[in-house]
Every structure is written in structure tokens, then in C-alpha cells.
Amino acid sequence: MADNTHGALFRPIVPHQHSRVTYAELFFDLVFVFAVTQISHTLLAHFTPLGALQVTLLFLAVWWVWVFTSWITNWLDPEKTPVRLLLFAMMLGGLVLSTSIPAAFEARGLWFAIAYAAMQVGKTIFLWLSTPPSRPRTRMNAIRIAAWLSVSAVFWIAGGVVEGQPRLMLWAIALVIEYISPAVRFWIPRYGASSVADWMIEGGHMAERCALFIIIALGESIVVIGATFAELTWTTETVLGFVSAFLGSLAMWWIYFHVGAEAGSEQLSKSSEPGRLARLAYTYLHMPIVAGIIVAAVADELVLKHPGGHSDLKTVTSAIGGPLLFLFGTILFKLSFRGFLQLSHGAGIIALCVLAWFASAWSPLMLSILTTAIMIAVAVWESVSLRSDPAG
């Protein structure tokens, strides 16, 4: 009877039937709306090579804790009270994590590390304890994951205790441990590695969860655009910057959602190895997509506040780098399930690289208009070409 009780915490997977995202998961995501905002503001305040490196590390941590939680809630059913309580506890940890982001490399490093390690290790132990002995492979998979995350937790906590460059190095080691763990299938001594069959997931649910994180990032860009524009004197330049920033966000939405998101979800649902595809397309390849949206939001704020004059390095890097990261991520994401490189995306990447060569000669406003025009062209090209030629 105990096995049935614990086994009941797992999400039922019915072939060719899509499991919806629950309200508890959507509620959990609200914490990460705040986390994305914190990352964006922290990057804007520390836009130096070292600051960008630190913010990149923090972003990778935020993404990893979110995507690991999405894997957990793909296996476990958030409609069950114990799983729902786990998500609520994770929300509390996520709030501590998010509020610590601006000072993570200063006074609140230990708080960030404790919150992160507790979330990662805690939910994996919960998965282990929730898995009945009648599912030995799933149970062993949870033990392997917990082992890897426990090792990385040591580096997170150690990094939180020290300061300066040692913190950066220790946290980088912790992230490397966590990011390579799925690639080596959580191999541990004596017990070996998990098999791809151990990662059986409900593909439609995983695709929808990651698409919702894209919405979170795009929502942050809309908030930045609106909040910044509201504080400014409305001149011709600021109005044009506002419209350009909005159309840039709209183009990103179109490029990801018009065809890609639905096609990815369908392919993942039909895949004979959904765990392998989800590991590549959603766990890894969504990172540059989200990062690109966040960096583009930073550029929007910079352009709206200072639309005139020549573009400085900060403006050029964010205005070009954001869309470039986004297109780089989406072209690889679509390659993972279509099997070919999207020509429109490749052309957009080349156009942005060419623009970067001359970017400092343009005003921030003109640079924003040109990058937005490139993104709109990519969206239109893909939409038109896919009607007649799927390799477009």
C-alpha cells in the first residue's frame, strides 16, 4: 500500500496526450519573473567584463534551478499536495535566491549559495523519497542526480564563505559540475550512468514549461520598456525608441512562437527518446535564447534613456549581443528537431555581425532601429519561406 501511495505522486503519462501546466507551476514561475528582473538590473549596474561574467554565472544558476524543477514537476504531479508543498517551499528559496542576486558577489553570497544548494539538493531528495521501490531505475536515477548536486553544493557553500575571485572560481566549478552531469548521464562510481530510458518525460509539458520561461523573459523586456518610457519626457526620439524596442520584443516572440515552439512540442511528444531531445533542446539550447532576451532588455533601457549621440561599447554590446544570442539559440533549437539550419536565422546572424562592425558610428536610437529591422526581417522571412519551403 505504501508503494501505491508514494507512486501516486508521479504524473501519469498517457501516450499522445498532453499534460497541462498546473496553476501551482505558474505560481512558482512568478518568483522567476522577479529573478529575471534582478539579473537584468544587475547587468545594467555592473556592465564591465567582470560584472558581465558574474551576471552570466548568476543567470546560469537561475536557469539551472528552474529547469531542474521543471524536470521534477514533469515526473511528479503538482496537483498532489506533497508536490505542491514542495513547489511552495521552492518559491521561498527562490525569493531568497532572487533577492540575493544584486549582492551575490558582495555581502549576500552565502545566502545565495545556501538558497541555491537547498533548492537543488532538497527537491532531488524529495524525488528520491517519493519514488517507490517498485520503480528501481527511477529511484536510482534520483540517487545519481542527488549525488552530483550534493558535490556541487559543497562548492556553492564554500564559495559563499570566501570573497572576491575565489568565490567566482568556486561557483564556476559548481556550475561546471552541474552542467556536465546530464551530459554524462549522472555517472557515479560503482552504479554507473543512467540510461536515456530513465528520463521518460511528458514531452508536451516540458516544451510548454520552457516556452513559459521565454514568456517570463519577454515579459521582463516589456516591463523595462514601459517603465522606462513612462519616466521620460516624450520626444520624437524617445517615442521612436519606444516603438523600436516594442517591435524588437514582438519580433523575438514571433521568431520563437510562430512556428518553432509548437513544432518543438510536437516533435518532443513524438520522439522515441524524449529525454535525450529535452536534455539538448530545452535544458541546454534555451539558455542563449533567454539570455538574449535579457540582454536586449538592457539595451532597450539604455537606448530609451540616451537615444542620441554615438553608441558606446555598453550600448553596442547589448543592442547587438542580445539579438545575436537569441538568434544563435533559436537556430540551434530549431536544428535539434528539424535537422537543418534555418536560413533566415543564419542571415540574421550575419547581418548583426556586419552591423556590429559599424555600430559605434550610429546613434543608440538608429542602432536599435536597425537591429529591430533585422529581427523583423528574420521573422517575416521564416514565416513566408516555411509556407513553400520548410528549409527556409
Side-chain angles (χ1 to χ4, degrees), residues 285-302:
L285 296 183
H286 267 60
M287 286 185 299
I289 299 175
V290 176
I293 296 171
I294 293 173
V295 174
V298 171
D300 292 338
E301 185 167 349
L302 289 171

Side-chain angles (χ1 to χ4, degrees), residues 224-237:
V224 166
I225 294 166
T228 306
F229 186 58
E231 296 175 353
L232 299 173
T233 301
W234 291 6
T235 64
T236 301
E237 282 188 326

Side-chain angles (χ1 to χ4, degrees), residues 25-74:
E25 291 171 283
L26 294 174
F27 190 40
F28 168 78
D29 285 351
L30 292 179
V31 170
F32 288 85
V33 174
F34 179 48
V36 169
T37 301
Q38 291 284 77
I39 290 170
S40 176
H41 290 174
T42 303
L43 177 59
L44 190 60
H46 301 86
F47 212 113
T48 63
L50 178 60
L53 180 62
Q54 292 174 342
V55 172
T56 298
L57 191 149
L58 297 175
F59 164 72
L60 292 175
V62 167
W63 169 256
W64 210 240
V65 75
W66 182 87
V67 80
F68 256 52
T69 305
S70 295
W71 278 84
I72 296 291
T73 55
N74 191 279

Side-chain angles (χ1 to χ4, degrees), residues 181-198:
S181 59
V184 299
R185 292 182 285 125
F186 302 100
W187 180 93
I188 57 176
R190 185 179 176 185
Y191 295 101
S194 298
S195 68
V196 176
D198 297 335

Side-chain angles (χ1 to χ4, degrees), residues 81-268:
T81 298
V83 183
R84 187 174 291 175
L85 292 176
L86 169 69
L87 280 178
F88 295 160
M90 292 281 291
M91 288 181 71
L92 178 60
L95 277 174
V96 175
L97 185 84
S98 301
T99 53
S100 302
I101 285 173
F105 284 92
E106 297 163 2
R108 292 191 179 174
L110 186 57
W111 281 105
F112 182 92
I114 290 173
Y116 182 88
M119 292 172 74
Q120 290 289 71
V121 176
K123 69 190 172 198
T124 313
I125 291 175
F126 182 94
L127 173 64
W128 173 29
L129 297 177
S130 301
T131 307
S134 58
R135 298 188 181 201
R137 294 175 63 170
T138 305
R139 191 180 181 91
M140 195 64 234
N141 189 39
I143 292 172
R144 290 188 182 97
I145 296 173
W148 277 81
L149 292 177
S150 297
V151 171
S152 69
V154 173
F155 289 92
W156 281 110
I157 302 300
V161 172
V162 300
E163 296 179 355
Q165 293 299 102
R167 175 176 297 174
L168 183 65
M169 292 299 298
L170 287 168
W171 283 2
I173 292 171
L175 277 176
V176 168
I177 290 171
E178 294 192 28
Y179 270 75
I180 67 170
S181 59
V184 299
R185 292 182 285 125
F186 302 100
W187 180 93
I188 57 176
R190 185 179 176 185
Y191 295 101
S194 298
S195 68
V196 176
D198 297 335
W199 300 348
M200 183 56 64
I201 61 168
E202 203 290 285
H205 173 267
M206 178 61 75
E208 186 177 353
R209 292 295 292 127
C210 290
L212 286 171
F213 203 95
I214 301 297
I215 289 291
I216 289 173
L218 286 170
E220 157 61 10
S221 70
I222 295 298
V223 169
V224 166
I225 294 166
T228 306
F229 186 58
E231 296 175 353
L232 299 173
T233 301
W234 291 6
T235 64
T236 301
E237 282 188 326
T238 55
V239 170
L240 285 174
F242 171 73
V243 173
S244 176
F246 171 73
L247 291 177
S249 295
L250 179 60
M252 287 182 170
W253 181 93
W254 196 276
I255 290 168
Y256 180 85
F257 283 99
H258 178 58
V259 176
E262 190 64 35
S265 175
E266 183 178 342
Q267 188 66 32
L268 189 59

Side-chain angles (χ1 to χ4, degrees), residues 352-364:
L352 287 169
C353 291
V354 172
L355 179 60
W357 187 259
F358 307 99
S360 60
W362 299 100
S363 69

